[in-house]
Amino acid sequence: MATDDMATGTADAAPDSAGRDFIRDIIQADLDAGRVQTVVTRFPPEPNGFLHIGHAKSICLNFGVATEFGGRCHLRFDDTNPTKEEQAFIDAITKDVRWLGFDWGEHLYHASDYFEQLYEWAEHLIGKGVAYVDDQSPDEMRESRGTLTEPGRNSAFRDRTVAENLDLFRRMRAGEFPNGARVLRAKIDMSSGNMNLRDPALYRILHATHPRTGDAWCIYPTYDFAHGQSDAIEGITHSVCTLEFEDHRPLYDWCLEHLPVPSRPRQYEFARLNIGYTVLSKRVLTTLVRDGHVNGWDDPRMPTIAGLRRRGVPASAIRDFARRIGVARAYSVVDYAMLEHVIREHLNRSAPRRMAVLRPLKVVIENYQEGVTETLPAINHPDDADQGVREITFGRALYIERDDFMENPPKKFFRLGPGREVRLRYGYFITCVGVVKDAAGEVVELRCTYDPATKGGNAPDGRKVQATIHWVEASTARPAEIRLYNQLFTRPDPAAEGEIFDHLNPDSLEILAGCLVEPALAVANTPETVQFERTGYFCPDPDSSSDRLVFNRTVGLRDTWAKVKAGA
Ligand code: ATP
Ligand code: MG
């Protein structure tokens, strides 16, 4: 599939491309007015977990606008908290952004690249008398900060001299004090209506080894002190982030206004992506992984990029999804079905068709010669002749889907039953002439006859059948394990009420053993997601090996029978 290695988000613009949004309007206006010459954006992940599909929205937006307006987008790791960040996360994030189809060229940065500069700027603020070292304990600081309705109280250390502050800050850097003993704070306004302006912390003591700077530092800048200045160093013009940072914007601006920064970025906020029946919060996802509710960050049930990839979702579908949900400031929750819809649409266009039987029921064709097989042509894609035709094997012993047979079929069930005739996809018409049961009375085998004149699926006498079913031939089919995934949570908004982990869906993973797939599905032949006809879209799982096939269901097909059943 050539569609998944695009360098930009615009290269595969869908016909229903969302087009303009308020961010793009702002950028266009800045360009038109000459306020900005080259658009520079950034995607700034904190390497404390894997990226999720919410991050994909931000990635598509930041890289997308950069491309559309002829600018560039940086990948910057916001690595200011060494207690939570790991190289493994940096590697995973890098891989995921690239897989999504975006390229930052030489513009890979880390907030830690700027630690020395940020430190100098902190001293600059001290020198101007607008930052001070506070000796209050974390508890005292929290307590004196006030509340939304009450102003905070000035710290007793707020009026230290510049010389005293400089000396203490340098000694913080030199490692003279334990964690939490002191912080550097901006001196702004303890009675501000905006809590973020009540003398926010700029630097904290953290004796921790950093993945990149090792033990060079034992004080680290806060997000608020690092972010805007990093933007300014890189010449970011539009610093686009999610709405929870809106109240941080005055602080973002305050820092830039008080420092001799080389450029003056502006922050803009949009509403984060929320999707029903799942959770897009790194904190929650981290807990799911840590407590073993899922099998790692790339578990196909996870809304992570790595999970979606393992599940067989093409990168182009994620980009398209991001484009269709658009960018706005209003809170919204996207229906999970919308994501599935986009995935299905992409896979329907591209995925080769194959046959696989998930819950096999044996069929013996009584009038077909024993020990003989034949091959029949099967088309690989109904709308894409370029995908060609493959040969599938037909013989006396076959397997069909257990669900495609009912001994006492109700009115609207059109598939196989005693005395009924159906079409085998790419094969013949068969008629059920007998049912074999085990001691428990369960159907274990069907006896059928076939009509040799219906080869290819049409009767020369023009008679019709009500159903076409899929099948595999017994001697050539390959055993496989198939993993079906359902919603991770039982509620559309699992965080709304009670303990979120109480709403985990116990049936989110269903493992089917003893499935049978056509031999073309041997792993080497199927690196991509395919459609199992009539069943859904599936892709090989990395747990597969030469003697073990494992498939993940990416997404099902709509099942009209299930609807009829539900309606009845
Ligand atoms: P989480 O809230 O899931 O822990 P985060 O914001 O802490 O995520 P970061 O690594 O800091 O994770 O996020 C990197 C960028 O991705 C930020 O600019 C953030 O605004 C954006 N982002 C995070 N979650 C979403 C989301 N659900 N929708 C859109 N953008 C998001
Ligand atoms: Mg964050």
Side-chain angles (χ1 to χ4, degrees):
M1 277 197 313
T3 50
D4 277 338
D5 53 14
M6 313 249 121
T8 72
T10 50
D12 56 349
D16 55 352
S17 167
R20 287 286 147 146
D21 52 62
F22 78 99
I23 298 281
R24 287 169 167 91
D25 290 344
I26 288 168
I27 294 175
Q28 187 65 61
D30 285 344
L31 288 168
D32 291 347
R35 284 187 292 270
V36 166
Q37 266 67 51
T38 304
V39 174
V40 187
T41 58
R42 86 285 168 267
F43 173 66
E46 182 179 356
N48 60 352
F50 276 48
L51 298 180
H52 53 62
I53 190 164
H55 294 115
K57 173 178 180 175
S58 176
I59 293 166
C60 291
L61 176 61
N62 279 297
F63 280 92
V65 297
T67 308
E68 287 156 47
F69 292 98
R72 62 176 196 271
C73 180
H74 299 180
L75 176 61
R76 183 202 312 145
F77 288 100
D78 207 340
D79 55 349
T80 52
N81 184 358
T83 59
K84 288 196 178 154
E85 296 158 7
E86 289 174 23
Q87 186 59 41
F89 293 139
I90 294 185
D91 297 341
I93 290 169
T94 307
K95 176 178 173 181
D96 289 350
V97 179
R98 207 165 262 141
W99 178 78
L100 270 177
F102 298 103
D103 185 5
W104 49 89
E106 64 215 34
H107 299 286
L108 173 64
Y109 304 106
H110 302 79
S112 57
D113 297 340
Y114 315 131
F115 279 174
E116 194 61 51
Q117 175 69 80
L118 292 169
Y119 176 83
E120 266 178 46
W121 280 338
E123 287 207 352
H124 183 92
L125 293 181
I126 293 172
K128 284 174 87 171
V130 292
Y132 63 99
V133 173
D134 195 344
D135 299 359
Q136 291 186 98
S137 70
D139 279 343
E140 286 169 329
M141 235 175 296
R142 205 170 302 125
E143 194 267 324
S144 62
R145 222 175 147 223
T147 63
L148 286 174
T149 50
E150 274 171 58
R153 278 175 282 110
N154 284 354
S155 165
F157 304 95
R158 201 172 193 259
D159 295 317
R160 277 178 159 153
T161 63
V162 168
E164 199 183 350
N165 279 318
L166 267 184
D167 172 61
L168 283 170
F169 188 50
R170 286 174 184 168
R171 287 165 61 196
M172 279 169 64
R173 176 178 184 170
E176 285 189 31
F177 312 117
N179 289 355
R182 295 188 155 88
V183 293
L184 182 73
R185 299 177 77 174
K187 192 192 279 191
I188 307 181
D189 179 5
M190 287 305 290
S191 60
S192 171
N194 184 337
M195 299 292 279
N196 293 296
L197 295 181
R198 293 188 187 174
D199 291 10
L202 304 179
Y203 264 92
R204 61 242 194 262
I205 301 171
L206 222 51
H207 291 271
T209 303
H210 187 282
R212 295 189 76 248
T213 59
D215 295 315
W217 294 90
C218 63
I219 57 171
Y220 290 93
T222 56
Y223 170 88
D224 285 317
F225 191 63
H227 205 88
Q229 281 67 268
S230 301
D231 284 345
I233 292 169
E234 293 175 21
I236 302 299
T237 54
H238 299 82
S239 183
V240 179
C241 60
T242 35
L243 275 172
E244 66 268 28
F245 295 104
E246 185 172 24
D247 289 346
H248 293 242
R249 179 160 22 98
L251 178 55
Y252 181 101
D253 291 336
W254 183 92
C255 289
L256 295 176
E257 277 151 21
H258 284 81
L259 290 169
V261 288
S263 77
R264 184 61 173 86
R266 301 278 163 191
Q267 176 182 302
Y268 302 94
E269 309 88 18
F270 66 98
R272 56 191 292 123
L273 170 65
N274 302 292
I275 302 183
Y277 293 98
T278 190
V279 171
L280 300 182
S281 146
K282 255 191 273 180
R283 188 185 55 79
V284 174
L285 297 180
T286 301
T287 308
L288 289 176
V289 172
R290 192 197 56 213
D291 294 353
H293 295 298
V294 294
N295 302 313
W297 284 98
D298 69 344
D299 187 303
R301 289 169 290 180
M302 291 279 273
T304 51
I305 308 292
L308 292 163
R309 176 172 59 233
R310 183 166 179 178
R311 188 157 169 168
V313 175
S316 60
I318 298 177
R319 291 195 298 266
D320 192 14
F321 173 71
R323 190 160 37 228
R324 291 201 211 177
I325 56 177
V327 177
R329 282 178 59 86
Y331 173 87
S332 73
V333 180
V334 175
D335 204 324
Y336 193 87
M338 151 93 178
L339 173 60
E340 292 199 322
H341 171 76
V342 176
I343 295 169
R344 248 187 228 112
E345 223 177 63
H346 276 250
L347 291 174
N348 182 39
R349 280 202 293 270
S350 60
R353 274 43 172 178
R354 298 286 183 260
M355 290 205 286
V357 174
L358 272 51
R359 298 170 182 86
L361 174 61
K362 191 171 185 183
V363 170
V364 174
I365 311 291
E366 292 186 335
N367 58 339
Y368 197 89
Q369 203 185 329
E370 223 154 328
V372 172
T373 59
E374 66 182 298
T375 57
L376 301 166
I379 55 167
N380 289 325
H381 196 290
D383 309 315
D384 181 6
D386 289 349
Q387 289 201 23
V389 170
R390 69 191 184 284
E391 296 287 317
I392 55 173
T393 304
F394 184 82
R396 181 177 161 89
L398 313 173
Y399 286 93
I400 65 165
E401 209 69 67
R402 190 162 276 280
D403 285 354
D404 283 337
F405 172 82
M406 285 186 95
E407 201 177 4
N408 299 299
K411 226 172 161 194
K412 289 195 173 171
F413 184 90
F414 299 115
R415 293 166 268 169
L416 206 54
R420 291 212 190 175
E421 185 171 53
V422 298
R423 177 190 293 110
L424 293 178
R425 186 87 164 125
Y426 310 117
Y428 297 94
F429 285 11
I430 60 167
T431 303
C432 178
V433 296
V435 174
V436 181
K437 295 183 182 176
D438 64 10
E442 210 196 320
V443 176
V444 291
E445 185 180 305
L446 302 181
R447 310 296 291 188
C448 294
T449 56
Y450 86 118
D451 177 355
T454 58
K455 185 169 179 168
N458 287 305
D461 62 5
R463 78 180 185 280
K464 299 283 180 224
V465 286
Q466 299 252 44
T468 302
I469 64 174
H470 61 276
W471 54 278
V472 293
E473 191 274 326
S475 71
T476 49
R478 304 274 301 263
E481 172 185 318
I482 296 181
R483 299 174 183 169
L484 306 181
Y485 302 102
N486 299 305
Q487 310 283 22
L488 194 46
F489 290 91
T490 52
R491 292 166 170 236
D493 184 357
E497 228 182 283
E499 172 55 44
I500 193 166
F501 300 104
D502 289 345
H503 305 312
L504 276 166
N505 179 5
D507 303 316
S508 59
L509 168 63
E510 191 183 340
I511 298 177
L512 301 179
C515 310
L516 291 168
V517 304
E518 64 167 274
L521 286 165
V523 169
N525 297 330
T526 55
E528 60 184 343
T529 308
V530 299
Q531 185 192 93
F532 289 175
E533 295 209 32
R534 301 182 59 239
T535 307
Y537 296 94
F538 294 79
C539 75
D541 188 84
D543 285 349
S544 298
S545 61
S546 54
D547 54 2
R548 177 173 180 235
L549 297 180
V550 180
F551 289 91
N552 296 317
R553 181 171 66 190
T554 313
V555 63
L557 301 173
R558 257 151 307 188
D559 182 357
T560 48
W561 171 240
K563 267 188 215 148
V564 170
K565 231 173 23 178

